[in-house]
Amino acid sequence: MILYYSPGACSLSDHIALIEAGMKFDLAKVDLKTHKVDDGRSYLDINPKGYVPALQFDDGDVLTENIAILSYVADKYRALMAPGQFGRYRLLEMLSFISSEIHKSFGPLFNPATTEKDKAKAFDAIRKRFDFTAARTVGPYLFGEHATVADAYLFVMLLWAAKNGIDLPKPLKSLAEHMRARPTVDIALKQEGLG
């Protein structure tokens, strides 16, 4: 498999999850401005959407979007699934919330044309969503004692929050510290030139 990524982008969550699962994969760095892979190929030939992540399988098939890739990894490596009878659905619920509510709320902060007023609205929205998430965190990780693929995705959002000076509720500060202490996270960060 090949994971197409951009350093520090949301694809970092997939990178962490693949390492956690012990899956064999190669990395291909993508320049999101030029849509070029580090070997010179056009990334748009792999993922016409133009953004990361994309996971290309040995047969050439490509899976995109964090929810899909992270769900695939959790299905293959059940230790990264949420516990309980509805674990798979609780995981999908959290992945969807992170994707649609938290991840998307950061958009204005990455756009240089965003006004200060709109940035303030984005900060407020992000803080509210982090408060909501913190209130539902049941252990050192989202679902208790064991990290899931959702923790990997949330961890990237917490890195973005730190980069933007957003204060985190105590449970999410703790979760970030637990994730940062994981050897797999350290490996992924170093492989992306961030650690």
Side-chain angles (χ1 to χ4, degrees):
M1 294 186 295
I2 302 170
L3 176 66
Y4 292 87
Y5 79 100
S6 185
C10 63
S11 53
L12 175 58
S13 62
D14 308 278
H15 191 170
I16 292 166
L18 287 164
I19 295 171
E20 285 275 351
M23 294 179 155
K24 302 234 183 284
F25 65 99
D26 293 319
L27 289 169
K29 185 176 173 183
V30 177
D31 182 323
L32 295 176
K33 290 182 179 148
T34 64
H35 295 107
K36 294 284 184 194
V37 181
D38 57 359
D39 63 8
R41 291 177 294 148
S42 170
Y43 181 59
L44 297 174
D45 291 339
I46 293 136
N47 181 5
K49 296 172 189 172
Y51 53 80
V52 292
L55 185 63
Q56 187 172 34
F57 296 91
D58 294 341
D59 65 1
D61 204 5
V62 176
L63 190 60
T64 65
E65 304 295 336
N66 276 315
I67 295 172
I69 295 170
L70 293 170
S71 296
Y72 168 79
V73 173
D75 283 343
K76 293 292 182 186
Y77 187 71
R78 303 293 292 173
L80 294 173
M81 182 66 69
Q85 176 184 358
F86 293 105
R88 186 173 202 289
Y89 306 103
R90 293 293 178 206
L91 184 71
L92 288 171
E93 179 180 50
M94 184 54 72
L95 288 172
S96 297
F97 181 78
I98 294 168
S99 180
S100 64
E101 300 300 324
I102 299 174
H103 185 165
K104 290 297 181 189
S105 295
F106 276 95
L109 304 183
F110 295 124
N111 182 348
T114 302
T115 65
E116 289 305 313
K117 183 180 177 182
D118 288 338
K119 281 185 182 179
K121 285 182 187 176
F123 280 125
D124 186 51
I126 292 165
R127 284 186 191 102
K128 286 178 181 173
R129 287 166 176 97
F130 279 156
D131 286 343
F132 176 87
T133 306
R136 283 148 185 82
T137 300
V138 296
Y141 300 105
L142 284 165
F143 298 101
E145 294 297 318
H146 303 286
T148 68
V149 293
D151 293 285
Y153 196 1
L154 181 60
F155 175 69
V156 176
M157 301 300 103
L158 300 177
L159 289 177
W160 292 0
K163 185 176 181 179
N164 284 282
I166 299 171
D167 290 329
L168 298 174
K170 189 174 179 182
L172 298 189
K173 281 183 189 175
S174 177
L175 187 147
E177 290 167 5
H178 277 85
M179 286 298 293
R180 187 63 182 90
R182 296 178 78 80
T184 52
V185 172
D186 189 53
I187 291 167
L189 289 170
K190 285 178 178 168
Q191 287 178 342
E192 294 196 13
L194 304 170

